[in-house]
Amino acid sequence: MKSESILLRLTADEKLGFEQAAELAGLTTSAWIRERLRLAAIRDLETAGLRAPFIKPLGQADG
């Protein structure tokens, strides 16, 4: 269950673009943003030799 939130300020054009991209992907805007941010975080953290805290080792349940 998700219990945290982030307030994000953006331009109207950015919001529209995110909404349109989410619709094309068949996702809610929130799910689309979360998916894209997760991918970016994984990439950036792995580049620095770190593991994203939301990536659990195989066999370990999400908590």
Side-chain angles (χ1 to χ4, degrees):
M1 181 159 111
K2 295 165 193 71
S3 61
E4 300 292 325
S5 63
I6 294 175
L7 176 63
L8 177 67
R9 294 190 180 279
L10 61 161
T11 67
D13 285 342
E14 287 172 323
K15 183 178 178 185
L16 179 59
F18 295 166
E19 290 169 340
Q20 289 175 338
E23 186 175 339
L24 284 173
L27 298 170
T28 64
T29 304
S30 185
W32 183 88
I33 291 169
R34 191 170 43 256
E35 178 183 283
R36 278 17 182 222
L37 284 175
R38 287 174 63 97
L39 292 171
I42 291 166
R43 182 195 63 226
D44 292 351
L45 290 168
E46 285 182 352
T47 297
L50 301 170
R51 190 185 87 235
F54 50 82
I55 302 296
K56 304 298 180 203
L58 290 176
Q60 184 177 341
D62 273 343

